[in-house]
Amino acid sequence: MMHLLLLSVFFSVLISFSSQTQQDYQQESANDPALATKADEPTELYAIFPKDVSVKSQADAINELLKRIVSNKTAIYASEVNDNNMWTLFWDAPLTASQAEMVKADPNVGSIGKSATDFDPTMNLPFDSPPLLGKRNTGLTRQQNAVDEMRLLSQPIDLSDFDHYLRYYKDYVYDGSAGSGVTVYISDTGANLANPEFTHGSNIAGRVRWLFGQGGGPVNTDQNDDSPKGHGSCMLDKIGGNKFGVAKKVNAVVVRAVHGTPLAYLDTIRQIRADYLPMYNRDPTHARAIINLSWGYPPDILGAIKDQWVNEFRGLLQDLISKGVTIVVPSGNTHFNQPIDRVPQLFAGESRNDGIPELLVVGGIHVYDGKYGQLWERSATADYVHVYAPSFAINCADGSGGLRNREETAGVSMAAAQISGMAAYFLGLSSLSDHLHDDDGRARVVKLKDFIIRAAWDRTDPDGLLKAIYNHEDPRTCPTNQKRDGEEVGEPCRSMATASAVGNDITAVVVTRSVIQPPAELLFTGVLYHPAKPVLLSRNVSAPVAR
């Protein structure tokens, strides 16, 4: 009986409170026309920018306006990454159409527009600066029975007959350093670190750090993959995963774009910069990192926020490059090789002073179905697409803990991730550290880009310009045997070896392997953007003999 009495009192108080709240709201609405329509109109998420980010009074005035007219104060998102007045301060807020007009008319507001959605791009650990490049003596490692897209990575130019190469060479061969100590930031949809691709082998999951780009709506720091097909998980896998990663020992930083809006993706770049600055400030002449941006936006879909979004994005990328950060982007997915139509990719081709020619723009090629090395039909084109990698029928992790269906996995995003892994791989080679070093951050970026482009070669024509990724290794320098190594897909090679065989396919005689040294033709000249014939690295090895 007592319970019923208490419930009756509770509901009476609740009804009284609701009634009073409604009366207060009606009175408030009568006094403020901006509030009068909000109960009747649907709301949409708007992005609001001030006229001048350096004027604090403008920010305060916009804050007060939004708090006054938005009923759900917790739904207002303010990006307060305002680094010494250098970076844009913006708000996301749910507004009705009439409220948006009121905000637009405010003299403190520079621009307002609906927050566009992205086009389907696709454990916080203590921060510890990764070690700088050191001398490594790990030798070669082979990944036995690798898929074709992995074998392409270590295919030397004098084995250009792909039928012969794929028949007799079954492994992906790479230096055992495998990008160790190199930081790669992956701005994307997150990652599912429970996937065996991340927990087996070198256990990249144990080295991953997380950052979050908050682009509106409630703050979210969940460590997951927002993409239904696991776009971010696939990117992490192609960069450093167990079976399908190029550089299996990198230090990955997963930068999840919460809610997947343009503002969230922009905020991932802010977060990357803030995370990288301590590393840079400790040693400005040596600090380096890679950023993989496997996404882009056609500027016109950004609406009213376009100019400020694009300008801030451009400024962030330019600043990071000046501090030694290599940024890798895909050319984009189009129909029948249409021109590039989105940023940041378009920045690389701009001739004006604020263009970003240091961006490494990646196109896609085929590997399977008799089209080995041919241009993928949906890879966007431009004369500043610098290098190519497999992008069709790709093997990689999905977001649910399994592997993506190769028949459904295609996109230049995957090609960019492989090039990001290759950039980290080269940075991890002690034999290249002197060649790729420069006291100037931008010059370090240019040297690495130059080396990646010149190392690549056209798989359809060794003299051609469809230059596809190559890691400067040679499977003939790595003896093959039947030994397996458990979950670890790679096993070390010996420096000296006699003949050994896999089944009846091949006999390879391997003599002493010398470390990779950049030939004179690859020495940095400061001239980047020109086609160059691939340069053969000499190898003291015998040719394979078919039985």
Side-chain angles (χ1 to χ4, degrees), residues 10 91 99 272 281 285:
F10 171 76
W91 297 261
Q99 289 171 339
I272 290 170
N281 290 334
T285 63

Side-chain angles (χ1 to χ4, degrees), residues 350-423:
E350 291 177 339
S351 57
R352 60 191 199 182
N353 291 336
D354 56 358
I356 314 180
E358 299 87 1
L359 289 176
L360 184 51
V361 184
V362 180
I365 58 171
H366 285 277
V367 176
Y368 301 97
D369 303 324
K371 297 182 178 181
Y372 190 84
Q374 296 180 28
L375 181 66
W376 183 46
E377 293 80 4
R378 294 191 60 195
S379 178
T381 59
D383 58 5
Y384 51 88
V385 176
H386 307 111
V387 68
Y388 296 81
S391 62
F392 181 75
I394 299 301
N395 297 272
C396 66
D398 68 15
S400 64
L403 299 178
R404 297 181 69 169
N405 184 338
R406 204 184 81 188
E407 295 179 356
E408 298 176 356
T409 306
V412 190
S413 290
M414 293 75 169
Q418 291 166 83
I419 297 294
S420 292
M422 189 63 73

Side-chain angles (χ1 to χ4, degrees), residues 213-225:
Q214 306 286 352
V219 173
N220 185 309
T221 57
D222 293 341
Q223 297 176 3
N224 57 25
D225 191 333

Side-chain angles (χ1 to χ4, degrees), residues 95-384:
L95 303 173
T96 65
S98 56
Q99 289 171 339
E101 287 299 318
M102 181 181 182
V103 172
K104 182 178 180 180
D106 189 281
N108 299 294
V109 173
S111 67
I112 178 174
K114 293 178 183 177
S115 185
T117 57
D118 84 280
F119 71 96
D120 182 22
T122 91
M123 138 174 20
N124 286 329
L125 301 178
F127 177 78
D128 183 21
S129 177
L132 297 174
L133 291 178
K135 295 297 181 184
R136 297 192 178 94
N137 237 345
T138 56
L140 283 179
T141 298
R142 68 180 179 83
Q143 179 178 325
Q144 194 175 50
N145 296 321
V147 295
D148 290 0
E149 73 214 50
M150 298 301 297
R151 286 190 277 167
L152 175 141
L153 305 179
S154 53
Q155 178 188 6
I157 194 170
D158 61 335
L159 293 177
S160 59
D161 183 333
F162 72 88
D163 284 330
H164 175 85
Y165 179 72
L166 294 179
R167 178 183 177 189
Y168 291 116
Y169 296 93
K170 305 297 184 183
D171 302 340
Y172 165 47
V173 175
Y174 58 94
D175 188 274
S177 57
S180 179
V182 180
T183 297
V184 181
Y185 293 95
I186 305 165
S187 165
D188 217 282
T189 62
N192 177 5
L193 296 186
N195 196 298
E197 273 294 283
F198 308 135
T199 57
H200 290 181
S202 70
N203 185 27
I204 193 174
R207 302 190 302 279
V208 163
R209 294 189 296 112
W210 286 81
L211 299 172
F212 301 91
Q214 306 286 352
V219 173
N220 185 309
T221 57
D222 293 341
Q223 297 176 3
N224 57 25
D225 191 333
D226 287 334
S227 170
K229 291 186 178 181
H231 190 276
S233 297
C234 184
M235 299 306 102
L236 177 61
D237 194 12
K238 298 310 294 181
I239 290 169
N242 183 39
K243 291 182 179 178
F244 306 125
V246 177
K248 305 176 190 298
K249 297 181 182 179
V250 298
N251 294 328
V253 183
V254 174
V255 193
R256 176 173 160 244
V258 178
H259 308 303
T261 66
L263 294 177
Y265 278 100
L266 178 62
D267 201 37
T268 64
I269 312 304
R270 297 191 190 100
Q271 302 305 322
I272 290 170
R273 180 180 179 274
D275 187 80
Y276 177 73
L277 278 178
M279 187 193 316
Y280 175 78
N281 290 334
R282 279 192 289 271
D283 191 351
T285 63
H286 290 88
R288 312 193 68 144
I290 311 297
I291 299 177
N292 185 81
L293 303 181
S294 284
W295 49 270
Y297 287 96
D300 288 342
I301 76 165
L302 297 170
I305 68 171
K306 178 179 75 172
D307 290 343
Q308 288 184 272
W309 189 96
V310 168
N311 289 338
E312 182 180 359
F313 190 24
R314 186 200 312 274
L316 285 164
L317 299 186
Q318 288 172 330
D319 184 65
L320 286 161
I321 288 169
S322 74
K323 293 176 169 61
V325 178
T326 294
I327 300 171
V328 182
V329 299
S331 64
N333 304 327
T334 66
H335 295 286
F336 305 107
N337 305 131
Q338 295 297 307
I340 288 175
D341 65 349
R342 60 201 60 181
V343 295
Q345 292 80 355
L346 288 169
F347 295 157
E350 291 177 339
S351 57
R352 60 191 199 182
N353 291 336
D354 56 358
I356 314 180
E358 299 87 1
L359 289 176
L360 184 51
V361 184
V362 180
I365 58 171
H366 285 277
V367 176
Y368 301 97
D369 303 324
K371 297 182 178 181
Y372 190 84
Q374 296 180 28
L375 181 66
W376 183 46
E377 293 80 4
R378 294 191 60 195
S379 178
T381 59
D383 58 5
Y384 51 88

Side-chain angles (χ1 to χ4, degrees), residues 357-358 435 438 442-451 454 520-530:
E358 299 87 1
H435 169 67
D438 196 286
R442 178 191 170 276
R444 294 198 294 273
V445 171
V446 170
K447 285 186 175 184
L448 177 59
K449 176 178 177 178
D450 193 36
F451 190 84
R454 288 170 175 259
E521 294 90 332
L522 286 181
L523 293 179
F524 176 64
T525 62
V527 180
L528 257 186
Y529 312 108
H530 58 85

